[in-house]
Amino acid sequence: MTGFLGWAGAVCMAAAGCTLLHMLVGKKGIGKVFRLITAAFFLCAVLSFLPTVRKTLAELPQIEAQTADTDTLRAAAVRQLQEGTEARLLDIVNTALASYDLKAEKVAVDMDTLADGSISINRISVFVLPANDLRCSTVKQVAERRLGMEVEVHYAA
């Protein structure tokens, strides 16, 4: 870092010196040659740091590129999306069933992720305890009305 700070200071000083010299020399004759020489001097001052950077970059530890299995990542993302969707739908169904003194144990979703990233839900299954077998039609009606699509009701194992 100190090498970089020293280089930055040298570039600033070279810029200030070149500017002062440009103001002192004339615009004709030898002044044009002097301007060309100061421009080359400034360019050398700027480029003087490159060998140090090259050496420093060579000393950095090499990081190997790791290739991740995209199918595994995609499957994990789809699984997490499905689990999150099922948990959210379970909350929605249980909120709707609370006024009927009923509770769903689980919601299973059959869904597809399309190529454009959109989600298509094909089927929703709501699982209730066998004790609620007489009220399955109520669970079905309430869940379908709340979710806006057809729902299948099954007994939780």
Side-chain angles (χ1 to χ4, degrees):
M1 186 70 178
T2 58
F4 176 75
L5 292 176
W7 171 79
V11 168
C12 289
M13 294 301 287
C18 288
T19 303
L20 286 174
L21 290 174
H22 273 239
M23 291 179 2
L24 292 176
V25 297
K27 294 185 179 182
K28 295 183 181 174
I30 196 85
K32 288 183 180 180
V33 174
F34 192 73
R35 287 178 188 265
L36 182 63
I37 292 172
T38 56
F41 170 74
F42 183 71
L43 184 61
C44 289
V46 169
L47 297 178
S48 68
F49 192 63
L50 287 180
T52 308
V53 170
R54 185 182 214 181
K55 183 177 139 187
T56 305
L57 289 177
E59 293 173 357
L60 289 176
Q62 298 298 321
I63 299 173
E64 294 180 21
Q66 297 178 354
T67 56
D69 185 14
T70 57
D71 292 335
T72 304
L73 290 175
R74 186 174 291 122
V78 168
R79 186 176 78 286
Q80 287 178 347
L81 178 65
Q82 184 157 358
E83 289 171 359
T85 303
E86 289 174 352
R88 180 67 183 130
L89 289 176
L90 180 63
D91 289 342
I92 291 170
V93 168
N94 278 335
T95 301
L97 291 175
S99 62
Y100 294 92
D101 220 17
L102 293 169
K103 182 181 178 202
E105 295 299 314
K106 177 183 168 189
V107 172
V109 178
D110 178 25
M111 58 190 259
D112 294 324
T113 305
L114 304 177
D116 63 352
S118 62
I119 299 169
S120 172
I121 296 178
N122 302 323
R123 185 180 67 212
I124 299 175
S125 299
V126 176
F127 293 87
V128 294
L129 291 176
N132 295 326
D133 63 343
L134 298 176
R135 301 184 74 192
C136 279
S137 62
T138 305
V139 171
K140 180 176 175 61
Q141 289 174 354
V142 170
E144 285 179 350
R145 189 175 11 164
R146 182 67 177 110
L147 298 177
M149 72 179 291
E150 189 175 336
V151 173
E152 297 175 1
V153 179
H154 302 281
Y155 297 115

